[in-house]
Amino acid sequence: MAIQRPKGTQDLLPGVVEKWQYLEEQIRKICREYGYEEIRTPMFEATELFQRGVGETTDIVNKEMYTFLDKGDRSMTLRPEGTASVCRAYVENKLYGGPQPVKLYYTGPMFRYERPQSGRFRQFHQFGVEVLGADKPIVDAEVITLVWDLYNRLGLKGLEVHVNSVGCPTCRAEHKIKLQEFLAPRREHLCKDCQERYEKNPLRILDCKNPTCQELTQGAPTTLDTLCEDCGQHFKELQELLSAAEVVYKVDPRLVRGLDYYRKTAFEVLVEDIGAQSAICGGGRYDGLVQEVGGPQTPGIGFAMGIERVLAALNLSGGAPDVETKDYLMLVALGERAQSEGFAIVSRLRKKGLPVSIDLLGRSLKAQLKAADRTKANYAAILGQEELEKGIIILRNLTLGEQEEIALKDLEEYVMRKYREDVKA
Ligand code: HAM
C-alpha cells in the first residue's frame, strides 16, 4: 500500500507553488513599504503558551491542538496560530526594552485538528502582522489598511471588511451579565457547546454557527451596547481613520472572534463565493496578551490571513499572473565528450546568471530539441562530435527557427550579450 499524506494537508506541486511565491513576494513587498520586519518563531511551543494565550475556553485549545509529549515528558504543541508565539518572543528577547512600537510580520504553517473541508486544512499557512507597544486607534487603522491595500493590489473582488469592538475586561463584565440575562430563558435550547459557553464565555455564543443558536441570539445585547467611554472613543476614532484612508468597512456588532485574547478592536475580511470558509483574514487588539505570557503590560494588535484562502479568492478574481520557469538556452550535447564539454559551458554560464539547462538523460537530438521547446527556451546550442572537432557550435533560434554556426570559444560571450539585450527589451 502506498503511503498517503495526512488528512487535511497538501502537496504543493510546481505549477501551483509559483502562485504561492507570487503572493509571498507581494506580502514581503508591502511589509517592507509599511515598515514591518520579519520574525520567525518555532513551529512548536510549550503547550501552556497556547493554553494561557489563546484561552482555555476556545475551540482551538479545547479541540484542535496537535499536542504531544516529547522524549523529556514535556507537553509540546504544534503552533495553531502565531500571535501567542510572537508575544512570547517579544518577552523572551526583551524587545520591550528597545524602541516601540515593534512592528513584525510572519508567514508559515499552522496546525489545527479541524474537520477538513474546502478552505479548511489541518496544516494551513498564515501571513500575520503584529504591532506591539502602541495603543492608539491609528495603529488599528494602519494594520487594517495594510490588509485592505494588499487585497486591492492583488485585485481581489467581493471584499467585505467587518469591524467591531469587543470592549475591555471592564465593559465586557457588564456585557456578560446582560447577555446571560437575555439568554437565561433560552438557555436549554442552545446547542451543547453553547450551554457550556453560557457560564464561562457567553460572548462566543454570538459566534455559534448552529442555526438554532443563531436564531435564539437574534436581538441579544452586543458588546457595542455596553462599551465604556475609553473603548467607545477608541472605536469611534478607528472608524474615522478607516474612512480617511478610504477603507470600505462595515460595523458588525455580532463579530466575535474565536480566540480569547481580543480587546477593543476585532475585525475580519470576508470574500463572497469562496465557499463555506469565507474569512480570508481575522485580527484584533490584544492589550492583555503580553502580560498573560509573563511580560510587562503591553498593548498589541495584529491579524492573520489564510494563504490558501487568499489564493482561492485570487483565483476567482482572475488569478495570479502566470510565472513559468523558463530556460534561455538549452545545451543539446550529443555523445560523451560533447556532454562533458557542454556541462563545463553550462556551469560557466550559470555562474554568470544565465537560465540554462542541459539534457540529463542522454537523449537523442530530436528528444532534446523537443524538451527545449517544452521549456520555451529562446535558443538551443547543439554540440556533437563533429562540431567539437571543428571547434564550432550550432546556435538555433527556437522562436525564428533559424540557425547559425559560431566558434565554440565565442559562444558564452555571444549568448550573454543576446540575453542582456532580451532582458532589457
Ligand atoms: P484566526 O481567525 O484563527 O486568527 O485565523 C486567521 C485566518 O487564518 C482565518 O481568517 C483564515 O483565513 C485562516 N485559517 C484559520 N484556520 C484555518 C484552517 N483550518 N484552514 C485554512 N485557513 C485557516 C488567528 O489565527 C489570530 N492569530 C489572528 C491575529 C493575529 N489576531 C491578532 N493578531
Side-chain angles (χ1 to χ4, degrees), residues 153-424:
R153 289 183 193 194
L154 293 170
L156 298 193
K157 307 220 170 70
L159 292 177
E160 274 190 30
V161 180
H162 290 203
V163 297
N164 191 20
S165 176
V166 293
C168 63
T170 317
C171 41
R172 258 242 293 270
E174 194 191 330
H175 176 255
K176 185 174 172 183
I177 296 169
K178 290 220 162 112
L179 186 58
Q180 282 172 329
E181 273 170 17
F182 175 89
L183 291 171
R186 301 164 169 83
R187 188 174 172 180
E188 60 190 272
H189 304 293
L190 294 169
C191 73
K192 206 172 134 275
D193 282 349
C194 283
Q195 300 214 8
E196 275 171 31
R197 288 174 184 142
Y198 180 89
E199 287 300 342
K200 289 190 207 142
N201 195 354
L203 189 60
R204 290 288 323 284
I205 300 178
L206 298 180
D207 191 36
C208 182
K209 301 288 174 277
N210 181 310
T212 315
C213 297
Q214 286 187 348
E215 201 168 306
L216 289 169
T217 52
Q218 284 302 320
T222 69
T223 47
L224 291 185
D225 299 329
T226 46
L227 288 189
C228 65
E229 204 187 321
D230 178 36
C231 292
Q233 184 61 25
H234 188 98
F235 194 43
K236 182 169 161 277
E237 282 177 38
L238 168 63
Q239 291 177 62
E240 286 164 6
L241 289 160
L242 288 177
S243 301
E246 296 178 356
V247 176
V248 181
Y249 67 92
K250 158 160 138 189
V251 174
D252 177 358
R254 286 184 68 99
L255 172 67
V256 180
R257 307 254 312 121
L259 300 94
D260 276 355
Y261 45 63
Y262 292 114
R263 290 188 191 176
K264 294 183 176 164
T265 309
F267 67 96
E268 257 172 13
V269 184
L270 313 174
V271 165
E272 299 162 6
D273 299 335
I274 58 165
Q277 305 304 318
S278 58
I280 57 169
C281 177
R285 184 163 272 291
Y286 46 85
D287 292 348
L289 182 55
V290 170
Q291 204 169 20
E292 189 63 52
V293 301
Q297 168 50 35
T298 309
I301 174 153
F303 65 77
M305 62 183 68
I307 300 277
E308 290 82 356
R309 293 188 195 172
V310 174
L311 286 169
L314 188 55
N315 270 339
L316 285 177
S317 312
D322 280 332
V323 203
E324 32 186 82
T325 336
K326 185 172 171 323
D327 283 329
Y328 188 75
L329 178 77
M330 176 70 126
L331 204 131
V332 174
L334 300 160
E336 245 173 61
R337 261 194 61 216
Q339 199 177 47
S340 73
E341 181 59 34
F343 189 64
I345 296 172
V346 164
S347 307
R348 286 195 294 271
L349 285 170
R350 281 178 171 157
K351 277 189 204 133
K352 293 181 180 146
L354 189 83
V356 49
S357 284
I358 184 166
D359 175 61
L360 301 174
L361 294 170
R363 286 179 287 196
S364 69
L365 174 65
K366 203 170 143 208
Q368 290 195 42
L369 285 175
K370 218 165 136 191
D373 252 358
R374 221 180 14 248
T375 68
K376 302 206 175 77
N378 298 46
Y379 290 92
I382 305 162
L383 188 64
Q385 189 62 28
E386 204 184 313
E387 286 77 19
L388 261 184
E389 277 160 19
K390 289 202 219 152
I392 57 153
I393 190 160
I394 300 168
L395 191 65
R396 183 181 293 189
N397 183 324
L398 294 170
T399 329
L400 302 175
E402 293 165 357
Q403 62 182 45
E404 59 188 318
E405 279 183 14
I406 54 176
L408 193 51
K409 64 175 176 31
D410 294 337
L411 175 77
E412 288 161 43
E413 208 190 307
Y414 186 83
V415 170
M416 287 310 294
R417 198 173 61 239
K418 289 241 175 247
Y419 178 60
R420 279 192 290 267
E421 284 166 10
D422 280 353
V423 169
K424 255 196 227 144

Side-chain angles (χ1 to χ4, degrees), residues 66-121:
Y66 278 92
T67 297
F68 58 96
L69 283 183
D70 71 6
K71 291 193 195 302
D73 265 349
R74 287 168 289 249
S75 179
M76 295 289 160
T77 294
L78 298 185
R79 61 180 186 193
E81 60 107 51
T83 314
S85 304
V86 169
C87 289
R88 190 226 9 94
Y90 177 84
V91 175
E92 193 165 342
N93 298 287
K94 299 194 175 55
L95 299 184
Y96 50 79
Q100 304 296 301
V102 177
K103 305 203 308 184
L104 301 167
Y105 79 93
Y106 51 89
T107 58
M110 307 289 161
F111 307 86
R112 294 184 193 176
Y113 194 85
E114 293 196 80
R115 200 167 43 79
Q117 62 179 79
S118 158
R120 198 204 273 152
F121 302 92

Side-chain angles (χ1 to χ4, degrees), residues 10-76:
Q10 284 180 290
D11 296 315
L12 301 172
L13 304 180
V16 169
V17 103
E18 290 77 6
K19 315 267 177 212
W20 284 65
Q21 290 170 345
Y22 167 75
L23 179 55
E24 284 157 8
E25 279 160 23
Q26 298 302 312
I27 285 168
R28 288 184 198 288
K29 183 164 177 285
I30 202 165
C31 284
R32 264 197 308 274
E33 288 172 20
Y34 276 67
Y36 286 71
E37 293 177 302
E38 186 176 359
I39 181 167
R40 300 187 188 192
T41 60
M43 223 83 88
F44 61 93
E45 299 266 4
T47 302
E48 196 191 347
L49 174 67
F50 303 113
Q51 286 169 335
R52 265 165 50 186
V54 177
E56 296 277 12
T57 66
T58 60
D59 284 353
I60 295 182
V61 169
N62 272 325
K63 305 181 188 164
E64 298 169 0
M65 293 209 299
Y66 278 92
T67 297
F68 58 96
L69 283 183
D70 71 6
K71 291 193 195 302
D73 265 349
R74 287 168 289 249
S75 179
M76 295 289 160

